[in-house]
Amino acid sequence: MEESRIPCVRIIVKSSEDENVAAGTLYIVTCKGGSIGSKGAHEVFLQDLGCSKHHGRIIFSDNKYYLRDLGSRNGTYVNGTRLSAAKQESENKEIGHGTNIQIGKSKLLCHVHPGNETCFECEPGVVKQTLEEEARQEALLSVGRGKDKLRQNRLQNLKKKYGLGRGDGVGENNPQDPKYVDRASVRRKVQGSDNPHEKTEAAHIDKSLGQENKGFNMLSKMGWKGGGLGKDEEGKAEPIKVELRAEKSGLGSNVPVVEVSRRSKDRADIWLKTQKRFGNTPLLSAFNVESEEDDAN
């Protein structure tokens, strides 16, 4: 065979979880063969922690390439199959174009071409450019995922802030939800509060103030003993009811209440304003002058 047509094997690092091994690294082994190891002079110098000092050897025989494990501790895998047990030398295993090899945490891919021929996957310049493009795409995707994650976090915080547990506006944190439980209120009633100014009682139109109310205590200190206010205690002792009354009428007025919708009232107000504006317009005065001249003729 012509020397220019003798094939050589190119080994490319496709990926590695070891920070000491860079993806895209290219090793070339000629028909003279070569060794694989992590220390010393090797044709395939792989600084993977799972690669032994003298890990394996590539052999060229009968126009084919073979791989042998030299008794490494972590083994050598060819297309997913381990060549030998730990610290035991293996037999020769044929490798060819497209063979996958794994040593430690590094995944390698074999390319076999005659002489100096290469392809788009094992040409050094193309491999570097492809890896740079893949890294750039991965960076863009990472940025996109980061922005999407940030948007989701902000949306989740807004839902928590306004009590929206689900998209329909009803959730366990929404006071309008029938299943909503005010745990803080229950805790204040059972355990109380360390804050002396904490409001623990709310006013109610159907319930008189009790002795726990601040206003009740203030009146008691001023001599009030209960009942209505005034010299003869003629004041109302019960809460004043909320009643609908006519506009501008006082409490207790007997003026009948006429319910008018807000929309009807707004339309009536707009109509009155329109009439007033039209009455003050100069155009109307001009028409009145012409009418007076016609009467004089």
Side-chain angles (χ1 to χ4, degrees), residues 173-289:
N173 295 324
N174 190 352
Q176 299 179 356
D177 187 2
K179 298 181 181 180
Y180 172 77
V181 178
D182 189 352
R183 297 185 180 87
S185 177
V186 175
R187 185 171 59 253
R188 284 194 296 269
K189 291 180 180 179
V190 176
Q191 300 181 358
S193 174
D194 296 333
N195 186 1
H197 305 290
E198 183 71 39
K199 182 178 180 181
T200 57
E201 182 182 4
H204 200 284
I205 60 174
D206 298 325
K207 181 181 178 181
S208 301
L209 298 179
Q211 296 181 358
E212 297 82 5
N213 183 267
K214 292 183 179 180
F216 187 97
N217 294 329
M218 290 175 64
L219 291 172
S220 299
K221 293 178 181 180
M222 297 170 63
W224 179 66
K225 298 180 181 179
L229 298 178
K231 182 178 179 181
D232 300 326
E233 298 185 355
E234 68 277 10
K236 291 185 176 181
E238 299 298 325
I240 299 176
K241 301 292 183 181
V242 178
E243 298 177 352
L244 184 65
R245 58 187 179 85
E247 187 177 3
K248 297 182 179 180
S249 61
L251 290 173
S253 175
N254 295 324
V255 176
V257 178
V258 179
E259 295 187 6
V260 180
S261 66
R262 180 68 180 179
R263 183 176 181 182
S264 299
K265 185 176 183 302
D266 291 342
R267 293 179 64 182
D269 292 341
I270 294 173
W271 175 243
L272 292 175
K273 292 179 181 179
T274 304
Q275 285 183 324
K276 184 177 180 180
R277 189 186 308 113
F278 185 73
N280 296 331
T281 181
L283 182 61
L284 185 61
S285 302
F287 280 115
N288 293 335
V289 171

Side-chain angles (χ1 to χ4, degrees), residues 11-18 21 36 44 46 48-52 55-56 67-69 72-84 93 95 98-110:
I11 300 177
I12 309 164
V13 179
K14 296 297 293 183
S15 63
S16 179
E17 297 180 10
D18 195 307
V21 182
I36 303 173
V44 181
L46 191 65
D48 192 297
L49 293 177
C51 183
S52 301
H55 193 95
L67 175 61
R68 175 186 296 178
D69 190 298
S72 64
R73 179 183 298 274
N74 297 306
T76 303
Y77 295 83
V78 175
N79 292 332
T81 303
R82 185 166 180 169
L83 298 184
S84 62
K93 177 69 175 179
I95 58 175
T99 300
N100 292 294
I101 302 173
Q102 180 172 350
I103 298 176
K105 296 183 179 180
S106 301
K107 296 181 179 180
L108 315 175
L109 177 63
C110 294

